[in-house]
Amino acid sequence: PIFRNRLRFLMREALRFSSTELLVYMASMETETFAPLIGELVLVPPRRMIDHPQNAQNPAGRDDNAPDDVDSLACLYHSSRKSLSDEKTKIHARIVVVGAGTTGLAFIHSLLSIPYLQFTNILLVSTDGLPLHPNQQELNWNSDSLDFLEREYMTLRIGKRVRLLEGTMIDFDKFDKYICTDGSNCEPYDYLFITAGRQYAIPRELVSQHGAKNGVFPLCNQHYIAKIKQHIHESEIYEDDLSSAVIFGTNLDVFAVANNIIKLGLAPQRVVIVSPDSGTVNPFGDPLIELKVEELLLSLGTKILKAHVLERLEYDEDNNLSSVVVTPVDGNRGKSVEVNATMFIYVHDKDIDSH
């Protein structure tokens, strides 16, 4: 700590005494890092490697018995005598980024990657905090996941260069320049970037005032995903073979959700997929793949209703979901179908998060 204000001089003298020109520092989540030191160094962007298949048995050409590389997710930083002689320009402006989606994280990553600037006050406001990389998650509920490499993503977590505030922004004052969150926190800012994005939102006319507590779940954040897991593991109502879980949507997320809830222990026979599309939209981009996936689900006992739209949700006396009523897109072609269900997962239309 006593050398904190003279880090660049200390590193420059270390290079001089060791007769070297380049200083290399590797940091990871498993090692203790000194945040001020990382701020003075320059990030080495990771390369995107291409795997060339060598044989059919081992397409990636890797040794399956080889030990995992402990530095596979480490971040590499460097500095030289010349770069240490040029002081980085420190930006102390209060930068607040709302939303931890691909856009918001890419913006922060771009700021941290500028070699001649050091941002000292970046705040990320997110409902779920800083999410894990899709490769680090046990279950992926969304098909449109982050486009970062894991090494690129780790630059946001290593060194604590980004301050996190878990919560939802509910208001902001552009004259006094501060934001308010649902946790009664007020944060001042000099620059505000709102990258909340679009999330799944159930039409208001279909949802009661109790929202997700009664078995209706929009797949919009980790809170609702936790509710889905809790509902599957703790609800005794799934001991009844007549109760089902209805998934409503037309995209790849529908199949991701179906796969995950089956992995969580829900019998495939209790899963019902309802799609308002009559066959014009192919979420896989290949008709053959879509056909094979649907055949697999049908062989497991999963029911698929195409060209059906949501008509209404029925609740019991305790305001718990009891059934889902769907009707054909063309009402003259058939009658409405009532599915006995205690869980309804909505993955159809997205809207800007206004909550």
Side-chain angles (χ1 to χ4, degrees), residues 79-95:
S79 189
S80 62
R81 291 190 184 185
K82 181 179 180 181
S83 60
L84 288 174
S85 300
D86 299 329
E87 191 79 18
K88 276 189 176 184
T89 302
K90 293 187 178 181
I91 308 297
H92 299 291
R94 298 165 296 186
I95 300 175

Side-chain angles (χ1 to χ4, degrees), residues 25-34 38 69-77 154-155 157-159:
Y25 179 72
M26 184 169 288
S28 66
M29 296 297 295
E30 286 73 24
T31 59
E32 185 177 356
T33 58
F34 187 44
I38 292 180
D69 185 4
V70 295
D71 295 327
S72 59
L73 296 182
C75 294
L76 184 64
Y77 299 86
M154 295 307 292
T155 60
R157 306 179 66 92
I158 294 176

Side-chain angles (χ1 to χ4, degrees), residues 312-328:
R312 67 181 185 275
L313 304 176
E314 296 288 348
Y315 301 89
D316 58 16
E317 297 178 353
D318 298 326
N319 204 34
N320 294 318
L321 182 68
S322 60
S323 64
V324 177
V325 181
V326 296
T327 184

Side-chain angles (χ1 to χ4, degrees), residues 89-350:
T89 302
K90 293 187 178 181
I91 308 297
H92 299 291
R94 298 165 296 186
I95 300 175
V96 176
V97 180
V98 180
T102 302
T103 303
L105 296 182
F107 171 69
I108 296 177
H109 183 270
S110 299
L111 296 181
L112 298 179
S113 301
I114 301 176
Y116 52 86
L117 296 180
Q118 181 180 354
F119 293 88
T120 61
N121 200 344
I122 299 178
L123 173 66
L124 174 63
V125 181
S126 171
T127 304
D128 302 321
L130 189 61
L132 294 175
H133 190 276
N135 293 347
Q136 301 170 354
Q137 296 179 7
E138 182 180 358
L139 297 173
N140 285 325
W141 295 83
N142 297 302
S143 58
D144 53 345
S145 54
L146 295 175
D147 295 329
F148 288 106
L149 293 175
E150 285 187 80
R151 283 192 176 185
E152 294 173 335
Y153 186 72
M154 295 307 292
T155 60
L156 303 174
R157 306 179 66 92
I158 294 176
K160 299 180 180 179
R161 303 175 66 185
V162 179
R163 188 162 59 95
L164 294 177
L165 176 60
E166 293 191 15
T168 303
M169 186 184 73
I170 58 177
D171 194 11
F172 70 95
D173 191 320
K174 63 180 180 180
F175 298 105
D176 294 332
K177 290 191 173 183
Y178 68 89
I179 67 169
C180 298
T181 66
D182 55 356
S184 301
N185 294 313
C186 292
E187 290 287 342
Y189 69 86
D190 294 309
Y191 300 96
L192 175 63
F193 300 89
I194 301 178
T195 60
R198 300 169 67 243
Q199 290 83 29
Y200 291 111
I202 299 179
R204 296 183 182 274
E205 61 271 13
L206 297 176
V207 185
S208 69
Q209 60 180 354
H210 295 283
K213 294 181 180 179
N214 53 21
V216 180
F217 306 94
L219 194 71
C220 56
N221 54 42
Q222 292 297 324
H223 171 74
Y224 286 101
I225 291 176
K227 287 288 186 180
I228 293 174
K229 294 179 180 179
Q230 179 182 1
H231 194 82
I232 292 176
H233 289 301
E234 297 183 0
S235 180
E236 296 180 355
I237 200 166
Y238 279 104
E239 296 179 359
D240 181 10
D241 293 338
L242 297 179
S243 61
S244 302
V246 177
I247 307 172
F248 183 80
T250 58
N251 48 42
L252 279 177
D253 291 347
V254 173
F255 298 95
V257 171
N259 177 67
N260 289 343
I261 62 177
I262 292 174
K263 284 184 176 180
L264 290 173
L266 189 64
Q269 298 83 0
R270 300 178 186 174
V271 178
V272 179
I273 297 177
V274 180
S275 172
D277 179 65
S278 57
T280 58
V281 178
N282 188 336
F284 295 94
D286 189 330
L288 182 59
I289 296 178
E290 182 183 22
L291 178 62
K292 294 298 182 181
V293 172
E294 291 181 355
E295 288 180 351
L296 175 61
L297 290 173
L298 292 174
S299 66
L300 295 175
T302 301
K303 189 175 182 180
I304 300 177
L305 298 176
K306 285 192 173 184
H308 282 70
V309 294
L310 188 61
E311 182 177 337
R312 67 181 185 275
L313 304 176
E314 296 288 348
Y315 301 89
D316 58 16
E317 297 178 353
D318 298 326
N319 204 34
N320 294 318
L321 182 68
S322 60
S323 64
V324 177
V325 181
V326 296
T327 184
V329 175
D330 187 353
N332 297 326
R333 294 184 180 180
K335 298 181 180 180
S336 298
V337 179
E338 183 174 359
V339 181
N340 294 325
T342 55
M343 183 165 61
F344 176 77
I345 304 176
Y346 186 87
V347 286
H348 184 46
D349 288 331
K350 288 186 175 182

